[in-house]
Structure formats: C-alpha cells, structure tokens
C-alpha cells in the first residue's frame, strides 16, 4: 500500500499553482495519471521518485519515504523510472545499461528475451530506433526488481504501431512481475488497454479517480457514437457542403448544412456524433 | 655551432614538466570541476576565484606571490621543506608553475561540459541506485571524454609555454630549470640566434600538433 499525501507550490507557465494530492495505491495496481499538460502529473511522479522535494508524507508499506523531518534519497527507494526521452547511458551497450543497475545477468537475459532485444544486446543506444530505446529503458527500470515502476509518458514519442507493440510488452512485464505501476499518459486507448484505474489531475488536484471505463467512456450505454477531432476543411460539392475531420489517425468526410458550415471554423476541435443506430464491427 | 644538448636538455626538461603537470592537472582538475559544477556548493565563489585568478592575474605577479608562499620560510614551502621537498629553483617549482597556469583552462571548460550534461540521464543513474559520485565517474565523465581531453590538451599546452611563473619559481638556472621557452630567451640574450630559431621551430611544430589534436577533439565533441 502506498499512501501519498503531498503538497507543493509549482511555478509553471500559467503562474503559481498548488499541487495537492492525497492518493492511496494498492500493491500491484496499474494506475494511469491523466490530465492536461501543466496539471502536475510529472511533478507528482518525480516527488514519488524522490527527484523533487515536497511537503507532506509519503508512505510505502511500513516504510516512511518522506515526512516533515526527512526524505529517503532516490537511490534507496528501489523505484524503476522510465523517462519520456529514454535517458539511456550513451557510453554503454544495451546489456551494460541493464547491468549498470544490478549485476544480475540472469534477469538481464530474461528481460532482453521478453522484449525481443536479445540480438541488440551489444549495440550502443545511439544506433537504436526510438521504440528499441524505450524498450531498453523499460528493461533497465525493471533491473533492480522495483517495488514501484514509474513511467513518464513512455510511449508519446513513438509512432502508433510501435506504441501498440510496446503497450503489449508493458502489459506482459506487469503481469510477470506484478510491479505496482504508475504511468503518465494522454492516450485514452493506451490507458484503457493498460490501466486498471485512472487518476485525473487538473490544476494540481485530483478531479477524477475511477476505472478507465467510467472516466473515459463518455457515451456508455446510450447507443451513440461520439468522436473528438479537428476540423481540417469545409468544401462545397455541387449544392452540398462537406466537412473534412481528422479523428485519430483517420480522415472522414461529413455532409453538413450551409448553416452548420457558417458556425464552424477550420482548425477548431469538433465533436462528431450520431445517434440511435447499430454499428457494425468487422475485421480488416 | 649548436650542440645537441643545448636543444635536447631544455626539451626533455619541458616535456618532463608538462608530463607531471598534466597528470596533476587531471588529478586536481577533474574533482575541482566536479565541485564547481554544483551550484549550491558553499564558498563556491572563493574556489572559483582561486582557480580562475591565474587567467587574469599577471604571471610574474602570481610567480612572486607563490615565491613568498612556497619559499622555505613561506607557509606552504616551510611545511614541505620538512620532507626535503623544495620548490624554489627546483623542478617541483616548474611543475607548480605549469599546474597553476594550466588549471583554469582545464577546469572551466570541463565545468561547463559537466553542467551541460543532460539532467535526465543523471537522474536515471540515481534511480538505478547510484550515488552522485558513482554517477559522475561512470556516466558523466565517460560521456564527456572529448571535452575532458580537449581541456587537458589546452591546459598542457599552456603549461608547456609557461614563462612568467616558471621564471620566478625556477630561477632560469641553465641546465636545471631552463625550460624551452626560457632557453629561447637565454639564447637570444647571448646572441645565439640559430639556437633560438631551432628551439622556436620545435615549439611551433608542437603547437601545431596540439592544434590539430584539438580540432579533431572538437569535431568529436559535436558528433557525440
């Protein structure tokens, strides 16, 4: 059980902000930290890791990691941390990056095997692709058999296909090691696939804390489709108007009325929804 | 007619001085740069001033102050004299001169390189359970090797060409403390222009060599 009750004043791009989080996490949970950028997600992660100071208390099991009097240094917290930009040691090969944490050859071999990095073990980080680098970073974070795994938007720099692949690997690792995991993520599908619980932060406070289904599925049960997207263009075809909307990685055309066209602006975020019909799912 | 020894003796002396100075620069300069790269170090300004001073202070004046300090009646000189180590008019004096003159050129660029090293990679080492010192020696330093060697090269070149402090501490004793630079001065003073020309020529070649190596290291720095 991890008990977090912390407070910190942040000076961000939007002025002063109070980060105030009271959160209990059970062992083995996979938590996604969501929220707009600047809401304090990364700072919360760094406070748990001991990389940043804060007021309040932090208790992990029977150990006190932080209270008014002292703070346990990050080296002693046995935490695995996956950085957004990988942060691999450039002077070491893949294997050396792992062994730097702990001279545990068996574990290193197991992790490299699980993530398909076996053949790249003697390569330097500079010669790897983004996806490969993040895999190494993930393996490295698991090398000290951490009690908590923290990930700061680990997949945001990767392309969609690579993201899906790595999500699977993160899930496999989580199932194999049962590590309590906290991941910062913006991607709803990623959160849905991986996390058992979503904590939504806004301006330094928790505004939602529930299952991904409850937090993310805005249309549950009403037989209604609703997508958010960006309006790219409005074109006139004969007498009708067609709006082109980008949803996720896909572009769709929607017929709209001239009145609707007048009220929409190109470049703005729009919601595309339809009601009362039975959608058909098929294989590609 | 130039005798071979007139050329080789100062050269060997200079190289010996540079070699020992370089080793000391590495030994003293790296920890100093590490300390100075910490923004929250107490008395950082004092340490920074002491290291940087020889860069702006006239060498002859530095030499004079060191003469007072390192003489047998000086604070430091008195202490070392008990172990029969003397700096004034001795080889050790030349080494001290080289190290003092080279230190700012060694420490300042290295300090900058340490500061520019990505914070995140250091944090990754902390999360791997490594202390600040372990992180410095096993992660930071190996990754700024090119900067380290460039700084050492620059500092060594400065130590090789040192004249002012060397003159004050070493005393320009022919056959004992006349480094190449001083030997050139002596040769000109005695009207032996041929000897001065040969020695100067050798220094030019060595400097060019240093320059080429520096250029090579700079290229490596931008690549890595």
């Amino acid at each position: 059980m991890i008990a977090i009750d912390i407070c910190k004043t942040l000076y961000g791009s939007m002025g002063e902000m109070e980060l105030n989080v009271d959160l209990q996490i059970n062992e083995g949970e996979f938590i996604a930290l969501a929220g707009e950028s600047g809401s304090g997600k990364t700072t919360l992660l760094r406070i748990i890791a001991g990389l940043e100071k804060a007021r309040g208390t932090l208790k992990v099991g029977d150990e006190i990691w932080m209270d008014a009097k002292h703070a346990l240094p990050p080296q002693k917290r046995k935490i695995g941390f996956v950085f957004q930009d990988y942060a691999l040691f450039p002077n070491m090969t893949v294997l050396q990056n792992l062994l730097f944490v702990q001279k545990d050859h068996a574990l290193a071999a197991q992790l490299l095997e699980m993530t398909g990095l076996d053949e790249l073990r003697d390569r330097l980080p500079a010669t790897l692709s983004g996806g490969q680098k993040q895999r190494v970073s993930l393996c490295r974070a698991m090398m000290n058999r951490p009690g908590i795994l923290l990930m700061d938007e680990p997949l945001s720099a990767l392309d969609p296909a690579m993201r899906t692949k790595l999500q699977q690997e993160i899930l496999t690792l989580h199932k194999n090691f049962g590590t309590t995991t906290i991941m910062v993520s913006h991607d709803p599908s990623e959160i849905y696939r991986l996390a058992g619980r979503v904590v939504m932060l806004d301006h330094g406070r928790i505004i939602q804390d529930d299952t991904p289904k409850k937090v993310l599925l805005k249309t549950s049960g009403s037989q209604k489709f609703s997508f958010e997207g960006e309006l790219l263009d409005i074109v006139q075809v004969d007498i009708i108007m067609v709006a082109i909307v980008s949803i996720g990685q896909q572009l769709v055309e929607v017929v709209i009325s001239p009145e609707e066209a007048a009220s929409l602006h190109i470049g703005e975020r729009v919601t595309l929804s339809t009601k009362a019909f039975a959608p058909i799912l098929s294989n590609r | 007619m130039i005798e071979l020894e007139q050329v080789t003796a100062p050269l060997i002396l200079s190289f010996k001085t540079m070699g020992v100075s370089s080793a000391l620069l590495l030994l003293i300069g790296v920890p100093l740069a590490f300390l100075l790269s910490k923004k929250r170090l107490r008395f950082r300004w004092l340490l920074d001033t002491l290291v940087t001073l020889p860069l702006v202070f006239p060498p002859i004046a530095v030499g004079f102050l060191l003469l007072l300090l390192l003489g047998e009646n000086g604070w430091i000189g008195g202490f070392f004299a008990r172990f029969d180590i003397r700096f004034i008019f001795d080889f050790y004096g030349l080494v001290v001169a080289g190290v003092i003159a080279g230190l700012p050129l060694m420490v300042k660029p290295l300090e900058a390189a340490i500061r520019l090293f990505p914070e995140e990679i250091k944090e990754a080492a902390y999360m791997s359970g490594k202390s600040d010192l372990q992180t410095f020696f096993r992660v930071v330093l190996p990754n700024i090797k090119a900067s380290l060697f460039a700084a050492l090269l620059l500092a060594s070149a400065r130590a090789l060409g040192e004249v002012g402090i060397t003159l004050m501490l070493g005393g320009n004793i022919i056959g004992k403390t006349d480094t190449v630079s001083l030997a050139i001065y002596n040769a000109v003073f005695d009207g032996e222009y041929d000897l001065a020309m040969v020695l100067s020529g050798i220094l030019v070649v060595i400097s060019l060599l240093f320059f080429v190596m520096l250029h090579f290291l700079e290229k490596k720095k931008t690549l890595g």
Side-chain angles (χ1 to χ4, degrees), chain B residues 102-136:
Chain B
L103 206 55
L105 293 175
M106 172 79 193
V107 171
K108 294 313 272 180
L110 196 56
E111 179 194 332
I114 295 170
R115 275 219 191 139
L116 284 176
F117 190 76
E119 197 61 30
E120 227 174 45
I121 298 181
K122 279 197 269 178
E123 286 175 350
Y126 301 154
M127 296 321 300
S128 306
K130 304 299 175 213
S131 70
D132 205 18
L133 221 57
Q134 282 171 316
T135 302
F136 178 68

Side-chain angles (χ1 to χ4, degrees), chain B residues 85-158:
Chain B
I85 296 172
R86 275 160 240 284
F87 295 101
I88 312 305
F89 304 149
D90 199 296
F91 176 70
Y92 296 120
L94 306 182
V95 171
V96 168
V99 170
I100 298 275
L103 206 55
L105 293 175
M106 172 79 193
V107 171
K108 294 313 272 180
L110 196 56
E111 179 194 332
I114 295 170
R115 275 219 191 139
L116 284 176
F117 190 76
E119 197 61 30
E120 227 174 45
I121 298 181
K122 279 197 269 178
E123 286 175 350
Y126 301 154
M127 296 321 300
S128 306
K130 304 299 175 213
S131 70
D132 205 18
L133 221 57
Q134 282 171 316
T135 302
F136 178 68
F137 281 109
R138 294 185 58 191
V139 177
V140 181
L141 215 49
N143 282 304
I144 55 167
K145 249 187 316 195
S147 300
L148 174 69
F149 286 129
L152 184 63
L153 209 62
L154 211 61
S156 302
R158 175 74 183 86

Side-chain angles (χ1 to χ4, degrees), chain B residues 166-177:
Chain B
T166 310
L167 187 63
M168 276 305 213
L169 291 185
N172 190 13
I173 301 166
I174 293 178
K176 194 178 177 200
T177 58

Side-chain angles (χ1 to χ4, degrees), chain A residues 46 49 51 53 74-75 77 79-81 83-92 100-103 140 144 150, chain B residues 40 117 119-132 134-135 137-143 145 224:
Chain A
R46 291 173 58 83
L51 294 171
K53 290 194 174 76
Q75 285 89 347
R77 296 192 181 193
I79 274 181
F81 203 110
F83 293 85
Q84 188 175 359
D85 299 319
Y86 327 123
L88 298 176
F89 309 124
N91 56 317
M92 302 178 201
F100 180 70
V101 183
Q102 198 90 258
K103 289 258 169 295
R140 183 181 64 182
N144 59 0
L150 303 174
Chain B
R40 264 176 288 173
F117 190 76
E119 197 61 30
E120 227 174 45
I121 298 181
K122 279 197 269 178
E123 286 175 350
Y126 301 154
M127 296 321 300
S128 306
K130 304 299 175 213
S131 70
D132 205 18
Q134 282 171 316
T135 302
F137 281 109
R138 294 185 58 191
V139 177
V140 181
L141 215 49
N143 282 304
K145 249 187 316 195

Side-chain angles (χ1 to χ4, degrees), chain A residues 79-118:
Chain A
I79 274 181
F81 203 110
V82 178
F83 293 85
Q84 188 175 359
D85 299 319
Y86 327 123
L88 298 176
F89 309 124
N91 56 317
M92 302 178 201
T93 63
V94 169
L95 186 64
Q96 285 167 343
N97 260 281
L98 267 57
L99 294 177
F100 180 70
V101 183
Q102 198 90 258
K103 289 258 169 295
D104 188 340
H105 285 267
L107 180 61
Q110 187 195 348
L111 285 165
L112 290 177
E113 176 83 52
M114 280 171 79
T115 48
L117 287 170
D118 221 14

Side-chain angles (χ1 to χ4, degrees), chain B:
Chain B
M1 193 56 209
I2 304 169
E3 280 177 49
L4 189 62
E5 199 173 78
Q6 284 179 297
V7 178
T8 52
L11 257 181
I12 290 170
L13 181 66
S14 271
F15 274 115
K16 250 171 70 182
T17 309
M18 189 176 73
V20 179
S21 300
S22 301
L24 282 173
L25 278 169
L26 201 61
L27 229 59
I28 303 168
V30 172
L32 269 179
F34 172 69
L35 281 176
L36 284 172
S37 70
K38 307 218 158 299
K39 284 192 192 98
R40 264 176 288 173
L41 184 76
R42 266 217 233 169
F43 300 116
R44 192 189 162 277
W45 60 271
L46 185 67
L47 198 60
D48 192 31
T49 312
L50 281 175
V51 170
T52 321
L53 212 60
L55 210 57
V56 283
F57 224 56
I60 287 282
V62 173
F64 177 63
L65 292 178
L66 284 174
L67 191 62
L68 295 181
L69 221 55
L70 296 177
E72 268 175 58
N73 299 321
W75 287 356
I76 304 170
F79 174 77
F80 278 98
R82 276 190 256 163
F83 306 100
D84 218 24
I85 296 172
R86 275 160 240 284
F87 295 101
I88 312 305
F89 304 149
D90 199 296
F91 176 70
Y92 296 120
L94 306 182
V95 171
V96 168
V99 170
I100 298 275
L103 206 55
L105 293 175
M106 172 79 193
V107 171
K108 294 313 272 180
L110 196 56
E111 179 194 332
I114 295 170
R115 275 219 191 139
L116 284 176
F117 190 76
E119 197 61 30
E120 227 174 45
I121 298 181
K122 279 197 269 178
E123 286 175 350
Y126 301 154
M127 296 321 300
S128 306
K130 304 299 175 213
S131 70
D132 205 18
L133 221 57
Q134 282 171 316
T135 302
F136 178 68
F137 281 109
R138 294 185 58 191
V139 177
V140 181
L141 215 49
N143 282 304
I144 55 167
K145 249 187 316 195
S147 300
L148 174 69
F149 286 129
L152 184 63
L153 209 62
L154 211 61
S156 302
R158 175 74 183 86
L160 179 71
E162 214 315 304
V163 176
I165 309 173
T166 310
L167 187 63
M168 276 305 213
L169 291 185
N172 190 13
I173 301 166
I174 293 178
K176 194 178 177 200
T177 58
D178 59 333
T179 56
V180 179
S181 301
L182 286 173
I184 294 171
Y185 174 81
N186 294 338
V188 175
F189 200 75
D190 297 339
E192 294 181 67
Y193 280 34
D194 290 346
L195 179 60
M197 189 62 89
V198 171
L199 288 170
S200 298
I202 291 172
L203 276 191
V204 167
V205 171
I206 293 170
S207 303
L208 275 175
L209 226 65
F210 271 58
F211 187 77
V212 170
M213 287 200 303
L214 262 177
H215 181 75
F216 179 72
L217 282 171
E218 283 299 324
K219 239 182 166 168
K220 227 180 146 184
K221 251 200 282 186
T222 47
L223 279 178

